[in-house]
Amino acid sequence: MKKIIEFWFDFSSPYSYIAGEHIESLAAKNDAGVDWQPMLLGAIFKASGSAPLTLRYPPLAEYAKHDFLRSARFCNVPYNPPDPFPVMSQNTARAALWIKTNQPEKMGAFCRAGMRGLFVHNAVINDIAWIENAANTCGAAGKAAAAACNDPLIKDALKQQCDTALAKGIFGGPWMIVEGEAFWGNDRLPQLDAWLAKGSF
Amino acid sequence: MKKIIEFWFDFSSPYSYIAGEHIESLAAKNDAGVDWQPMLLGAIFKASGSAPLTLRYPPLAEYAKHDFLRSARFCNVPYNPPDPFPVMSQNTARAALWIKTNQPEKMGAFCRAGMRGLFVHNAVINDIAWIENAANTCGAAGKAAAAACNDPLIKDALKQQCDTALAKGIFGGPWMIVEGEAFWGNDRLPQLDAWLAKGSF
């Protein structure tokens, strides 16, 4: 049976964006699939007593901002630092959950479009009109996906999604799980790749 | 002129150990040198409001312990988890500073021996007798290096070393600096390597 990479990410996480640009090709070359799992790192950080990198100890925040750009260059991914940052992205995550349920074949494209929207085009990706347009561009039902942002059931599903992440021991993003093995961070893609290629190591 | 990698590390830091096993060969293949810079992450964490990975949010501590082992395997480095952990290593750092001043050609060997002592042989590397023997094995003057552990001037030099690290914006280890460019963590060795090979990227 095909192995599945659970890819837990936040639309406003720089390292999630960088990893998200490569996760499909990494999966494909190892004959694996990707299960896109949006979460809100704000909720994860609150529960785990942490904070966004750019709001921590000032030298760490400075290093992180520099490393986002350098890591993007190293990984051959375009990156334009959004300002303001961090930003809200709960609507984007809700629309993604709707697409995942109703048009799963469009999920990867929408997730990548959301992160590119923020980290390449500096768009306000939490904006309902932006979401509708982005979903349409991905071939999804933009109006319905955008409407999901205000659907109490979808709001609940996103909360549930964050609780599930916490229950799995997730404390940051991107977070990849294959056959129960967890890999945290864009910089663990080489280990994930080796794990898929060898079965384990 | 030969480029120099400042390699800031703590003798009791797992990722410093893993990186330390490869830093000399990485430097050599790029025609660079290594400047070993011991520091105490305890002092760094205290100043920056952080803590050792294994004493943080429990899921993070668990992940870290698992990742130390997996990263060691991924990097082809032997690793036996020390118990207890974390441990004190200020004496080892002081002896290293003495060796660096008095027998600089033995510095790399002693630094690697100290970390291997902890992470391969589970030795009490802060023990004066262990330090004397390890220094002798590296061809250094064991008795003098061990005596330095109680020398007020060397104690002061180590405090100064930590202050210098903080002034450089260092908040974790290993921490590598080349031509003013900082790289944090064993997982940044590929970027450091690319930086040295290309001049920058």
Side-chain angles (χ1 to χ4, degrees):
Chain A
M1 216 180 87
K2 211 171 179 172
K3 289 178 188 170
I4 298 295
I5 304 168
E6 286 180 35
F7 185 78
W8 292 80
F9 71 101
D10 182 312
F11 277 98
S12 64
S13 151
Y15 295 124
S16 293
Y17 156 63
I18 299 171
E21 288 290 299
H22 290 290
I23 196 68
E24 296 273 16
S25 59
L26 187 155
K29 88 176 171 114
N30 290 294
D31 195 27
V34 178
D35 177 18
W36 295 80
Q37 297 275 7
M39 61 178 168
L40 298 179
L41 282 176
I44 304 296
F45 289 157
K46 195 174 173 187
S48 60
S50 190
L53 288 166
T54 53
L55 302 180
R56 295 191 201 171
Y57 175 63
L60 192 158
E62 281 313 303
Y63 177 85
K65 281 187 260 181
H66 186 75
D67 190 66
F68 296 158
L69 276 160
R70 191 176 62 199
S71 291
R73 290 197 303 274
F74 186 70
C75 297
N76 295 308
V77 164
Y79 188 91
N80 295 311
D83 182 17
F85 187 79
V87 298
M88 307 294 274
S89 60
Q90 74 276 33
N91 286 330
T92 334
R94 287 173 191 149
L97 286 182
W98 185 90
I99 291 172
K100 185 171 181 175
T101 303
N102 296 281
Q103 300 180 291
E105 73 284 4
K106 310 296 184 195
M107 181 64 174
F110 181 75
C111 293
R112 289 193 303 278
M115 292 189 277
R116 277 184 205 160
L118 180 57
F119 294 107
V120 180
H121 308 296
N122 291 183
V124 181
I125 62 164
N126 208 39
D127 180 74
I128 306 281
W130 187 89
I131 289 168
E132 179 173 338
N133 184 57
N136 281 333
T137 304
C138 296
K143 203 170 273 300
C149 301
N150 292 309
D151 180 337
L153 285 176
I154 296 278
K155 288 184 179 185
D156 246 31
L158 181 55
K159 277 193 200 118
Q160 185 59 50
Q161 188 75 0
C162 297
D163 288 345
T164 300
L166 286 167
K168 282 174 182 270
I170 294 174
F171 52 82
W175 188 279
M176 289 76 72
I177 307 175
V178 176
E179 300 175 312
E181 186 75 10
F183 299 85
W184 171 40
N186 174 62
D187 43 33
R188 285 297 175 279
L189 286 192
Q191 292 194 23
L192 171 63
D193 190 20
W195 192 275
L196 284 165
K198 299 179 193 177
S200 70
F201 64 78
Chain B
M1 216 179 89
K2 212 172 179 172
K3 288 178 189 170
I4 297 295
I5 305 168
E6 285 181 35
F7 185 78
W8 291 80
F9 72 101
D10 182 311
F11 277 100
S12 63
S13 151
Y15 295 125
S16 292
Y17 156 63
I18 299 171
E21 289 289 301
H22 290 290
I23 196 68
E24 296 273 16
S25 58
L26 186 155
K29 87 177 171 115
N30 290 294
D31 196 28
V34 178
D35 177 20
W36 294 81
Q37 296 276 6
M39 61 177 168
L40 298 179
L41 281 177
I44 302 295
F45 289 155
K46 195 173 172 186
S48 60
S50 190
L53 288 167
T54 53
L55 302 180
R56 295 192 201 170
Y57 176 63
L60 192 158
E62 281 314 302
Y63 177 85
K65 281 187 258 181
H66 186 74
D67 190 65
F68 295 159
L69 275 160
R70 191 177 62 200
S71 291
R73 289 197 304 274
F74 186 69
C75 297
N76 294 310
V77 165
Y79 187 91
N80 295 311
D83 182 16
F85 186 79
V87 299
M88 307 293 276
S89 59
Q90 75 275 33
N91 286 328
T92 334
R94 287 172 190 150
L97 286 182
W98 185 89
I99 291 171
K100 185 171 182 173
T101 304
N102 295 281
Q103 300 181 291
E105 73 285 2
K106 311 295 186 196
M107 181 64 173
F110 180 75
C111 293
R112 288 193 304 278
M115 292 189 276
R116 277 184 205 160
L118 180 58
F119 294 107
V120 181
H121 307 297
N122 292 183
V124 181
I125 62 165
N126 208 39
D127 179 74
I128 306 281
W130 187 88
I131 289 169
E132 178 172 340
N133 184 56
N136 281 333
T137 304
C138 296
K143 202 170 271 304
C149 300
N150 292 309
D151 180 337
L153 285 177
I154 295 278
K155 288 183 178 185
D156 245 32
L158 180 55
K159 276 194 201 117
Q160 185 59 51
Q161 188 76 359
C162 297
D163 288 345
T164 300
L166 285 167
K168 282 174 183 270
I170 294 174
F171 52 82
W175 189 280
M176 288 76 72
I177 307 174
V178 176
E179 299 175 316
E181 185 75 10
F183 299 86
W184 172 40
N186 174 61
D187 42 32
R188 286 297 175 277
L189 286 193
Q191 292 195 23
L192 172 62
D193 191 20
W195 193 275
L196 284 165
K198 299 179 191 177
S200 71
F201 64 79

